[in-house]
Amino acid sequence: MRMRPAAAGNLQIAGASTLRFGLVLNLVIIGRLKFEDYEVENIRPLITSSPPFSRLAAMLGEQRLARLIGATEIIIGSLIAAKSFAPRASALGSLAAAGMFTTTLSFLVTTPEAWQERHGEPKLSLAGQFLVKDIVLLGASLFTAAESLRDARRP
């Protein structure tokens, strides 16, 4: 399939915009959910199985920790969304998101419920399937960080 360079460029711009919007939307919506009691219940196995997060939950309480995580996600998403008028802040938000998704991917190792080992070789459970999508979000965060840093260098 042959595509004109201008069409390929437009497709790349549309893809980058969609990637950024999707990343922001995921962070803000999922961050907002952390203020709901049922979401505190949903993340409990992840938090209690993670050594650093289990200590934070013991210090702050699960509900406060969930709200802190949610507020952080909303702030990070808002920073990423600010690319057009604050590309450096957007890059910072994207790098923070990359760190956050790296952290959530560590839950694949620390959360026993992430795997179904009774089926022969280990297979992802529903919790593991939920977590593995963070690989894509990590890639989106790195992409948007590079894009924002490039824009921040422009005069």
Side-chain angles (χ1 to χ4, degrees), residues 45-46 107-108 111-119 121-133:
L46 305 173
F107 295 159
L108 283 168
T111 307
E113 292 87 1
W115 298 95
Q116 297 182 35
E117 296 184 18
R118 62 180 185 259
H119 298 288
E121 81 277 359
K123 294 183 173 126
L124 290 172
S125 67
L126 286 176
Q129 292 171 41
F130 170 76
L131 291 169
V132 81
K133 65 139 175 42

Side-chain angles (χ1 to χ4, degrees), residues 21-31 73 101 133 137:
F21 176 74
L23 182 59
V24 168
L25 192 62
N26 269 275
L27 287 165
V28 171
I29 288 174
I30 292 171
E73 289 171 332
F101 293 124
K133 65 139 175 42
L137 296 171

Side-chain angles (χ1 to χ4, degrees), residues 31-138:
R32 170 60 188 94
L33 291 177
K34 299 293 189 302
F35 291 83
E36 301 290 337
D37 290 338
Y38 78 91
E39 184 63 9
V40 175
E41 295 295 320
N42 288 340
I43 66 172
R44 177 173 288 128
L46 305 173
I47 289 173
T48 58
S49 298
S50 168
F53 281 94
S54 63
R55 285 191 285 275
L56 282 172
M59 288 175 19
L60 301 173
E62 290 177 359
Q63 188 175 46
R64 276 198 192 122
L65 178 58
R67 288 179 176 170
L68 177 63
I69 293 168
T72 302
E73 289 171 332
I74 292 167
I75 291 166
I76 289 171
S78 299
L79 287 170
I80 295 169
K83 178 184 166 262
S84 61
F85 59 90
R88 282 187 179 91
S90 182
L92 177 66
S94 291
L95 291 172
M100 184 187 72
F101 293 124
T102 300
T103 300
T104 59
L105 284 167
S106 75
F107 295 159
L108 283 168
V109 176
T110 61
T111 307
E113 292 87 1
W115 298 95
Q116 297 182 35
E117 296 184 18
R118 62 180 185 259
H119 298 288
E121 81 277 359
K123 294 183 173 126
L124 290 172
S125 67
L126 286 176
Q129 292 171 41
F130 170 76
L131 291 169
V132 81
K133 65 139 175 42
D134 286 1
I135 296 169
V136 175
L137 296 171
L138 172 60

